Every structure is written in structure tokens, then in C-alpha cells.
Amino acid sequence: MAADIRRRNRSRREWLWNPGVIPFRIFESSFLTAHAGTVARYANNSYDAVLHLRPEPDDDAVQDDSALLFDRIVIDTLYTLRIPYLVAGGGVEKTLTYVADMFRLPLQRPIAEALSATDEPAPDEFPAEQPAPTTTAEELANT
């Protein structure tokens, strides 16, 4: 999708300034169309369902045309798939509640409690200092 967004946002004046790129752009377009078909077939065969989280309206990224174009391409692609899809947006708690209800997922704890648990730092599994090696490079070379 990123390549398709770049292709769609590219100025057509580039073709006028450098007509030698026209065969490459035609190939690029046909390649991306073929690739999109391959990805769609893979999704149809591999996924049970797809969840697309739309960008928040107040995000700075939404103001960017490429973010809106990306969202539009995703939705258009989902429409062509043979698998169920869900397009959700809004706050994290609202989205999780909606998805859990939609798929009838059992809640192990309230969503607000689960989200507050994600704010807690995870225990450090790796110590900051590694223990010194017990064998030296010379001992390893002699073995």
C-alpha cells in the first residue's frame, strides 16, 4: 500500500519532464495491481476476519493526505475480500469494547482495568549489566 500511495501521490508533471520514466511507471502500476491480487488471495485463504482501526480525527497524521489515502485503500481492499471485516475507530477503550462485543469474546477483566495494567512498566527481564564471561578467548581457541 505504501508503494501505491507513493505512486498515486506522484506528480504527473514528472512524466512530462522525464518521458523516459513512462515505461517504468506503467510496469510499476501493473506490478502493484498483480501484487494486490496476490495479497488479497493470501488474506482470503489465511485470515478468519480482519479488523481495521481507522485513524483518529484529531491525530496530526489524519491531516496528511497520504494517511487519508491509506485509509481509503484499506477500506476499498477490504470490500473486495471474501472474509468478514470490521472497521472501527474512536478511543482505545471504545474500540476494544466494540470488538469484544462484536466477536463475543469473554472478558477476563474489565477493559478499563486491563488498559490501566498496560500503563505499568513490565519487569526488566534482562539485567543492565551482563555477567563477565567465565572463559577467555585464549581458552576457547585452545579447545
Side-chain angles (χ1 to χ4, degrees):
M1 288 190 197
D4 197 28
I5 289 170
R6 286 187 63 200
R7 182 184 65 80
R8 290 184 188 192
N9 284 340
R10 192 175 292 129
S11 171
R12 300 283 186 213
R13 285 183 276 172
E14 176 186 335
W15 294 25
L16 295 174
W17 293 332
N18 190 3
V21 301
I22 292 175
F24 299 110
R25 299 298 169 235
I26 293 170
F27 170 77
E28 179 185 50
S29 177
S30 61
F31 174 81
L32 290 174
T33 301
H35 185 264
T38 301
V39 170
R41 278 192 305 279
Y42 178 81
N44 281 325
N45 294 330
S46 301
Y47 301 137
D48 296 326
V50 175
L51 170 65
H52 171 57
L53 299 175
R54 297 192 79 174
E56 289 290 320
D58 59 341
D59 284 349
D60 292 336
V62 174
Q63 304 305 325
D64 186 14
D65 289 339
S66 61
L68 295 173
L69 182 58
F70 179 83
D71 186 52
R72 182 78 261 153
I73 292 172
V74 169
I75 291 172
D76 290 345
T77 303
L78 290 173
Y79 184 74
T80 64
L81 299 179
R82 296 186 319 258
I83 57 177
Y85 63 90
L86 175 65
V87 178
V92 175
E93 188 171 348
K94 176 184 169 189
T95 301
L96 287 175
T97 303
Y98 184 66
V99 170
D101 290 344
M102 178 66 106
F103 291 106
R104 296 186 181 113
L105 300 174
L107 297 178
Q108 302 298 321
R109 62 171 71 171
I111 291 177
E113 181 184 328
L115 286 173
S116 67
T118 61
D119 293 335
E120 298 171 8
D124 190 15
E125 296 181 20
F126 300 103
E129 295 180 16
Q130 297 294 324
T134 56
T135 58
T136 64
E138 291 175 8
E139 290 174 349
L140 289 174
N142 293 333
T143 58

